[in-house]
Each structure stands twice: as structure tokens, then as C-alpha cells.
Amino acid sequence: MSIVCGAGDSFSLGRSSRDPHTAYATQANNQVMMNNLLSKMKKAGKAMVDSGAKTMLKTDMVFLEREVKQRKQSFGVEVYELMESLESDTTGMDTATKESKIRLAFDQARKDIAVIQAKMEVKQEELLVLERKAMHGQQHQQSQAQFVIPPSSGVVLNNGQPMQQQQQMMDHDEY
């Protein structure tokens, strides 16, 4: 039985020969192919998770930008209503007091917007970290791709019979 792994890779699950060396080499080659397939699947899964995280961060940033816009709009309404009420105020409030009320509304709005902008900066930093990790991962893959060892042909080269090699190893261990 043969399995095709994308990119033209395929491997056999059955034994192609009764020779134990060839069968072992084929089994080792199959293991390498499965490890490569699993590695590719893990990388694809990680890429999907990172992509989802980036999308979520960008969405959060859009919501925060909208929140800033809404706060500025509510500030405008607040200041307009405050100025309108102060203009029609007949209690004789002095100009400095009126200005301080307007200043207080502005300071509160600026503080609220600063908090939201700080949240946006944190989201931006998180996004940059994810992008750096992705770039580092691509560079790592490219550097590894330069040093790829081609898969074996399945042929194991021996200079003798297995029994002779075992005997030689046992003789060598005795010394």
C-alpha cells in the first residue's frame, strides 16, 4: 500500500522485499516521511492559529479606534451642552468657573482617550511580536531548506553478512 503526502512525496507501508536490510531501510524511510508530514501539519496548524490571533488583534484595534471616535463625539456633545447651559446661566457664574468646567470635561475626555490609545498600542505590539515570530519561522525554514538531506534510496550498504558483522562486533568487544 502506498500513501501520497502532497509535494510528490509517497511512501509504502508494505514490505517491498524479503531482505531485512531493505525492509528496515524502507521502514526508516517511511518513518522519516511520516515525521515530515506531521511536521508540515504542525506548521500549518501553527500558521492558522497565528493568523487567527493576528485577525483578532486587528479586529480589537478597529473596535478601539471606534471607541476613540465615539468618545470624541460624546465629548463634543458634552462640551456643546455645557457651553449652552453656561451661556444661558443667569446665576452670574464668572468666566473662570465656566472655563474650568469646560477644561474639566476636556481633561476627562483626554484621559479616557489616552487609556484607549494605550490599549491600542499594546495590541499593536502584540501584532508586531506575532509578525516577528512568523518572519523568524520563515527564515528558519529557509535556512533549513538549504541543508535538506535527500531521503535514502532504501538501499543499505553492507560489507558483509549480518552474522559476520555481529561476530566481528562481539570479537571486538572481547578485547
Side-chain angles (χ1 to χ4, degrees):
M1 177 200 294
S2 292
I3 296 177
V4 178
C5 304
D9 298 335
S10 65
F11 60 95
S12 172
L13 295 176
R15 293 184 184 205
S16 59
S17 171
R18 294 187 188 268
D19 181 16
H21 299 293
T22 304
Y24 178 76
T26 302
Q27 184 181 8
N29 193 24
N30 289 347
Q31 186 66 35
V32 169
M33 299 286 276
M34 286 298 287
N35 287 340
N36 287 341
L37 178 64
L38 289 174
S39 175
K40 289 177 184 178
M41 289 174 68
K42 286 179 184 178
K43 288 177 186 174
K46 180 162 176 33
M48 288 178 63
V49 168
D50 288 347
S51 176
K54 286 181 196 177
T55 302
M56 186 62 140
L57 287 170
K58 289 177 183 178
T59 303
D60 289 347
M61 289 175 57
V62 168
F63 281 126
L64 290 170
E65 287 170 359
R66 184 184 305 162
E67 196 174 334
V68 167
K69 184 177 179 180
Q70 288 172 342
R71 182 59 181 110
K72 287 179 179 180
Q73 288 173 343
S74 69
F75 166 73
V77 170
E78 183 181 351
V79 168
Y80 181 84
E81 289 174 354
L82 184 60
M83 290 181 75
E84 185 178 51
S85 70
L86 292 175
E87 189 174 84
S88 64
D89 185 19
T90 57
T91 61
M93 191 182 310
D94 65 340
T95 306
T97 306
K98 292 178 182 180
E99 287 177 357
S100 70
K101 287 187 174 193
I102 294 170
R103 184 54 146 169
L104 183 64
F106 175 74
D107 289 342
Q108 184 62 43
R110 184 173 47 186
K111 184 172 68 170
D112 293 344
I113 291 171
V115 168
I116 297 167
Q117 287 175 334
K119 291 177 185 178
M120 288 174 60
E121 289 173 7
V122 168
K123 299 289 183 186
Q124 185 66 35
E125 284 296 319
E126 290 175 7
L127 186 61
L128 289 173
V129 167
L130 284 175
E131 289 173 352
R132 285 185 196 132
K133 282 183 181 179
M135 291 298 291
H136 177 70
Q138 288 174 352
Q139 290 172 352
H140 183 67
Q141 284 178 334
Q142 289 172 351
S143 67
Q144 283 185 336
Q146 294 173 357
F147 302 106
V148 171
I149 299 172
S152 68
S153 62
V155 177
V156 177
L157 300 176
N158 287 325
N159 292 335
Q161 296 295 323
M163 293 300 286
Q164 290 174 344
Q165 288 180 349
Q166 286 178 354
Q167 185 62 37
Q168 288 174 355
M169 290 176 71
M170 288 175 23
D171 290 344
H172 182 69
D173 289 339
E174 291 176 3
Y175 294 113

